[in-house]
Amino acid sequence: MTAPSFPPLMTGQATVDDPTDVAAQMAAVGCDAGTIVHNLGTDDLRAAMIFAPDIPLADAMIMLPICGIGFQNALGAIAPPEIAVLLEWDGTIRVNDAVCGALSVKSSSPQKDNVPDWLIVGLQVSIRNSTQNPGDTPDVTTLYEEGCGDLGAAQLLEGWARHTLVWINRWTDDGPRPIHAEYEGLLHRGDDEIGVDERFGLLRKSCETTTLTPLTALLEQA
């Protein structure tokens, strides 16, 4: 398999282990921001992108929706036109309304007002399932089942890196407003979910009460 090609400022690191765990270990001892740890299997794509924020965690968490937008744009650019890709607030990725993968996030510190040493966004996408018959789990799918059988893990990983970098640069130049507008248009909402606030926290409405869950609630244990 040819090694994936990444845009400037990004480098790849292959692993046979869980990329998010490996990325956390690498980040803890010191590595370059923009490193993408990846495990490219036949059945799925697993990867993790390492960031070195210079802003408080509550603001740096914008990397999760940015990476989600980057993946949606990447798959949308190479998949058949009838493929619909949406993002759930918790990181779940839906293809044609069925779960096809997920994004996750880890940080060196859970303190929202502190600048973390590192932040990692993980990606898992189901490409095919060789052990299960299509239709057994109608709310769960693979790219192969949705007509994307020609897409390879390396191609999708390269696209994710490129499109994510585009949105990182846009955020750097224009702030969070364009990210917010794009993300709202891609958000798969639950029955009580009404959108996200300026820091991408989830807004829910029940009867006359609106509640807010911050993005930091999605942090996995580092």
Side-chain angles (χ1 to χ4, degrees), residues 132-195:
Q132 190 168 318
N133 294 322
D136 286 351
T137 52
D139 193 44
V140 179
T141 192
T142 67
L143 294 182
Y144 181 82
E145 290 177 44
E146 300 304 324
C148 302
D150 294 336
L151 302 185
Q155 180 187 16
L156 194 53
L157 177 63
E158 291 172 350
W160 181 50
R162 289 195 307 271
H163 286 275
T164 296
L165 184 59
V166 167
W167 283 99
I168 290 173
N169 290 336
R170 189 162 183 190
W171 167 66
T172 300
D173 293 339
D174 302 325
R177 186 181 297 273
I179 313 301
H180 194 282
E182 182 78 4
Y183 184 68
E184 281 274 14
L186 299 175
L187 198 57
H188 181 282
R189 292 174 171 82
D191 292 339
D192 62 343
E193 297 175 1
I194 58 175

Side-chain angles (χ1 to χ4, degrees), residues 20-195:
T20 56
D21 291 342
V22 174
Q25 294 166 8
M26 292 175 61
V29 299
C31 70
D32 292 335
T35 299
I36 302 174
V37 184
H38 53 82
N39 184 332
L40 306 182
T42 302
D43 291 342
D44 63 357
L45 160 64
R46 291 185 292 162
M49 196 174 294
I50 300 174
F51 300 95
D54 58 2
I55 54 178
L57 176 63
D59 297 310
M61 288 291 293
I62 196 174
M63 289 302 123
L64 181 62
I66 283 178
C67 286
I69 294 170
F71 176 78
Q72 193 278 342
N73 288 184
L75 182 54
I78 58 179
E82 64 271 16
I83 300 299
V85 186
L86 293 176
L87 308 169
E88 291 189 22
W89 178 81
D90 66 0
T92 300
I93 297 168
R94 286 186 173 267
V95 176
N96 290 343
D97 209 35
V99 175
C100 191
L103 293 151
S104 60
V105 61
K106 288 184 176 183
S107 171
S108 61
S109 169
Q111 302 302 319
K112 66 178 183 178
D113 296 325
N114 292 348
V115 178
D117 294 331
W118 51 264
L119 185 140
I120 294 166
V121 176
L123 172 69
Q124 180 275 322
V125 183
S126 297
I127 295 177
R128 65 181 69 230
N129 190 328
S130 57
T131 63
Q132 190 168 318
N133 294 322
D136 286 351
T137 52
D139 193 44
V140 179
T141 192
T142 67
L143 294 182
Y144 181 82
E145 290 177 44
E146 300 304 324
C148 302
D150 294 336
L151 302 185
Q155 180 187 16
L156 194 53
L157 177 63
E158 291 172 350
W160 181 50
R162 289 195 307 271
H163 286 275
T164 296
L165 184 59
V166 167
W167 283 99
I168 290 173
N169 290 336
R170 189 162 183 190
W171 167 66
T172 300
D173 293 339
D174 302 325
R177 186 181 297 273
I179 313 301
H180 194 282
E182 182 78 4
Y183 184 68
E184 281 274 14
L186 299 175
L187 198 57
H188 181 282
R189 292 174 171 82
D191 292 339
D192 62 343
E193 297 175 1
I194 58 175

